[in-house]
Amino acid sequence: MSAPPPNPLAALSTPLALATHAFLAGILMALALLAILAYRPLRDRALSQAGLFGLVVSVAWTGVSSLAPALLPASLLQYAHPASLALAGLSLVIWERVTSTLLAASPGARRLAHVRRGTALTALCIALAAILPWPTAHALAELLLGLLAPFLALLTLSAVLRARREGLRTAGALATATVSILVCCVSLWTLSLALIQSALVVLAMSLGWAMLSRMTELRVAKEEAQRARLSAAAHQAHHLEALVEQRNAELSARLLDLNEASRTAETANQGLQRALDQLEEVAATDRLTGAWNRRRFEEAVLAEIALAHRRREPLSLLMFDLDHFKRVNDIHGHGAGDAVLAGTAQTVRMYLRASDSLVRWGGEEFLVMAPATRLEGALGLAEKLRAAVAAVEYPEVGQVTMSLGVSEYALGESLAEWIERTDRALYLAKSEGRNRSRAATAPDRAGIKPFSRPLLEVVWEDAYESGHPHIDGQHQRLFRLASALMAVLTENRPLPEVALCLESLLAHTAQHFHDEEALLREARYPGLHEHAGIHASLISRARDLQAEVQADRLDFGRLISFLALDLVKGHILGEDRNYFGHLQKMSSPDGTPPGGA
């Protein structure tokens, strides 16, 4: 096979020509890479196609210029010219695609799209024939490609001019680039190196111009789209703001209505509560003396008896009767008798504590319930009351005396048994001559035991105080609840009562831990995290014990150990003392503990 004719442009391989050809190839390559790199942020197909066109043109120019002998070995030079023809055909196809994309907005240009596409594909097929090892095919392909390339350029120029008349912004750059391609085709026919170089320079400049125009269009379109989105977002935000204001106004109106309704309801509730309090007071107190009636006493005494069982604290009862009161009514009338009863109740109240309760039991009989009072203290109170009543002088009646029976509640004793035992003591005082007080004998019935302190209890002392009243109050309450639970356990009380005491202790323990952590957080206690972890561990263990109690698997030893050793001694009297100094330092104005400690 004979080699294809040598490339006449490649023969002009002077240093200046070589540098010029390399410069042109570099410009085309740089523009191509710029277009390809711009594709990633802009995502425009025309830029990627333009970049590919520049790459193909730069490689084709390298094959036909003096760069081929300088870059390729001698054995491959015979393939440079056929490859350049094939690449030229490929560049025409790519150019048709680039212009079609850029002219897509022009109806006039779209009418020539099919003709231009067919011409470009035909040129590519003919150019591929140049690589066949047949000189005649090579020459024929070169001839036909030289005719089809300017024809395609003329078609593209016609489409570009139509688009320019329709106002397409990139039409000017495309027209210049198309003319440059047309000049290149003519230059190849005339083998004018200077004209080819000039045309390639213009092609490179116009290609760059077209790409910059395209980028500008894309940037402007992107900015307009962004402005549209921002405008829509602002409009939506304004609409939402107006909607929120409307809803806020509606909610404010509703809140005003609710507040008004709440105030009205509160006023009505206060009036109703006052009426209920008055009714309850009338129903629970004696109208003449102001003392409790039987119903009120029976409700209160049952709670005090339960408390005495739980805390193992004493509870005493005084029963007194005015001596010869029937004579007062018979001689001076019931009005004088009522005055004596009211005066007696008033005198007795002067000597009672706030925790004591005066009860009108019936007629001239009264009761006094004295919590946390042993028999000896109740006898002393009885003597004070007896002497005070005897010292009062009534205008019509004169002096009136009374007799008293005193008793201390015995654990396990019913209310009826306790009152009957107290009544017997009162009868004894009357039978011995009246105007005296007598103590009831201790019950001898099996199952009733005299009062004694609990076997296990934890007692609060002043040395345990932290200096913070809220924390100290909660600690004292936990001490009482722990002692009550220990008392229930040591008495073998029913399991539901144990569960109720444990639940109450857990509820107050959880509340105390919450309040304590909030206080330490506010005081910025450095050991708060570890302290809160200990709280969580104690609550978890307590819940486990509660589950065992509810499942009827009570472990007496574990529960007592948890109460006495873990909760009270280990935590309240141990771990909690670590933050006492920190609280005192935070509460001192100069940052030192109070009192200069």
Side-chain angles (χ1 to χ4, degrees):
M1 179 186 89
S2 61
N7 180 13
L9 297 178
L12 303 174
S13 58
T14 63
L16 180 60
L18 187 62
T20 302
H21 297 173
F23 176 72
L24 290 175
I27 290 178
L28 291 170
M29 186 71 72
L31 289 173
L33 293 177
L34 176 63
I36 292 174
L37 292 175
Y39 169 73
R40 284 185 67 86
L42 297 177
R43 291 294 177 184
D44 183 58
R45 186 173 58 180
L47 291 176
S48 63
Q49 293 171 349
L52 184 60
F53 172 76
L55 288 176
V56 174
V57 170
S58 64
V59 175
W61 167 248
T62 301
V64 300
S65 67
S66 60
L67 294 175
L71 298 176
L72 297 176
S75 59
L76 297 179
L77 285 177
Q78 59 178 337
Y79 302 109
H81 190 58
S84 297
L85 290 177
L87 290 174
L90 179 61
S91 67
L92 293 177
V93 174
I94 299 174
W95 176 251
E96 187 276 330
R97 294 284 51 189
V98 173
T99 55
S100 295
T101 303
L102 295 176
L103 299 175
S106 171
R110 287 201 302 270
R111 284 195 287 270
L112 296 175
H114 296 293
V115 180
R116 292 192 303 112
R117 186 179 299 113
T119 304
L121 291 175
T122 303
L124 176 60
C125 294
I126 293 173
L128 292 176
I131 63 177
L132 296 175
W134 186 29
T136 304
H138 180 88
L140 184 60
E142 190 173 3
L143 174 64
L144 294 176
L145 189 60
L147 295 174
L148 289 175
F151 179 67
L152 178 60
L154 291 173
L155 289 174
T156 303
L157 184 60
S158 175
V160 169
L161 293 177
R162 293 183 181 183
R164 186 172 184 180
R165 286 195 298 270
E166 295 169 357
L168 190 65
R169 293 183 57 181
T170 56
L174 288 178
T176 304
T178 305
V179 171
S180 301
I181 293 176
L182 188 60
V183 172
C184 285
C185 295
V186 175
S187 302
L188 287 173
W189 280 101
T190 61
L191 297 178
S192 174
L193 179 62
L195 193 57
I196 292 176
Q197 292 175 351
S198 300
L200 286 176
V201 171
V202 174
L203 176 62
M205 294 177 62
S206 58
L207 184 61
W209 179 17
M211 286 189 295
L212 288 176
S213 298
R214 182 65 173 178
M215 290 185 210
T216 302
E217 288 181 357
L218 293 174
R219 187 179 65 255
V220 170
K222 186 176 181 180
E223 290 175 356
E224 289 179 353
Q226 187 173 6
R227 282 196 297 271
R229 287 196 298 271
L230 290 176
S231 177
H235 177 72
Q236 185 177 9
H238 179 71
H239 176 69
L240 290 175
E241 184 177 356
L243 184 62
V244 169
E245 291 180 357
Q246 180 184 356
R247 295 294 174 82
N248 286 339
E250 293 176 357
L251 288 176
S252 298
R254 291 184 181 180
L255 285 176
L256 289 175
D257 294 341
L258 288 175
N259 289 335
E260 184 64 27
S262 177
R263 285 193 295 270
T264 304
E266 185 176 356
T267 303
N269 286 336
Q270 290 174 355
L272 180 61
Q273 187 61 46
R274 286 193 295 269
L276 289 175
D277 292 341
Q278 294 173 359
L279 288 174
E280 183 178 358
E281 184 177 357
V282 170
T285 58
D286 177 60
R287 185 178 61 180
L288 176 63
T289 62
W292 285 1
N293 59 20
R294 281 198 178 203
R295 185 178 65 84
R296 178 72 178 274
F297 168 72
E298 289 174 352
E299 291 176 354
V301 74
L302 293 177
E304 291 294 338
I305 289 175
L307 195 62
H309 274 281
R310 189 162 61 248
R311 294 185 179 178
R312 298 293 189 169
E313 291 182 353
L315 175 64
S316 293
L317 185 66
L318 286 70
M319 178 181 287
F320 63 87
D321 188 352
L322 297 179
D323 298 331
H324 305 297
F325 183 73
K326 189 175 182 302
R327 296 179 186 175
V328 174
N329 284 331
D330 292 342
I331 298 173
H332 303 285
H334 289 282
D338 290 346
V340 170
L341 291 175
T344 300
Q346 183 178 0
T347 303
V348 169
R349 276 199 199 89
M350 295 171 58
Y351 293 89
L352 298 183
R353 301 169 300 177
S355 58
D356 298 337
S357 304
L358 176 63
V359 183
R360 186 175 182 184
W361 193 242
E364 68 275 15
E365 270 191 338
F366 290 84
L367 297 177
V368 173
M369 182 174 62
T373 304
R374 294 188 179 277
L375 181 61
E376 295 80 7
L379 284 171
L381 175 61
E383 284 299 309
K384 288 181 182 180
L385 297 180
R386 185 190 63 77
V389 169
V392 176
E393 186 81 23
Y394 294 97
E396 298 181 11
V397 179
Q399 290 182 326
V400 177
T401 62
M402 66 179 183
S403 303
L404 301 96
V406 182
S407 67
E408 181 181 348
Y409 176 73
L411 294 182
E413 188 177 25
S414 68
L415 176 60
E417 292 171 338
W418 186 26
I419 292 177
E420 182 182 353
R421 190 160 56 90
T422 311
D423 185 60
R424 287 198 298 269
L426 173 61
Y427 179 78
L428 179 62
K430 284 183 173 292
S431 64
E432 290 181 357
R434 295 183 173 83
N435 192 22
R436 66 194 65 210
S437 58
R438 289 291 178 264
T441 58
D444 54 2
R445 184 171 60 85
I448 299 180
K449 301 177 182 178
F451 175 82
S452 62
R453 299 295 297 177
L455 180 63
L456 294 174
E457 66 175 339
V458 286
V459 181
W460 176 263
E461 298 181 6
D462 293 341
Y464 300 157
E465 294 182 352
S466 68
H468 194 281
H470 185 65
I471 294 297
D472 290 338
Q474 289 186 338
H475 280 173
Q476 293 178 32
R477 185 174 185 84
L478 290 178
F479 264 64
R480 291 195 298 269
L481 291 173
S483 295
L485 181 56
M486 290 179 183
V488 170
L489 290 171
T490 54
E491 289 180 10
N492 287 327
R493 304 296 295 177
L495 199 59
E497 189 172 345
V498 175
L500 182 61
C501 290
L502 180 57
E503 178 63 30
S504 178
L505 175 65
L506 282 181
H508 285 87
T509 302
Q511 183 63 47
H512 166 63
F513 286 169
H514 176 272
D515 295 348
E516 187 177 79
E517 290 173 14
L519 176 65
L520 296 181
R521 190 178 299 108
E522 182 180 357
R524 298 180 180 177
Y525 178 55
L528 174 60
H529 181 72
E530 293 78 8
H531 203 76
I534 296 173
H535 285 172
S537 176
L538 288 173
I539 290 294
S540 177
R541 293 176 58 192
R543 292 300 181 193
D544 292 341
L545 291 171
Q546 185 184 33
E548 292 181 3
V549 171
Q550 292 173 349
D552 199 8
R553 298 197 310 271
L554 173 61
D555 189 330
F556 180 89
R558 283 188 60 201
L559 188 51
I560 292 294
S561 175
F562 173 78
L563 294 173
L565 300 180
D566 298 334
L567 180 61
V568 175
K569 182 179 179 181
H571 188 70
I572 297 178
L573 301 182
E575 292 291 340
D576 282 0
R577 301 188 70 84
N578 294 332
Y579 67 75
F580 286 1
H582 186 80
L583 287 183
Q584 294 170 357
K585 184 176 180 181
M586 293 297 296
S587 62
S588 178
D590 58 355
T592 59

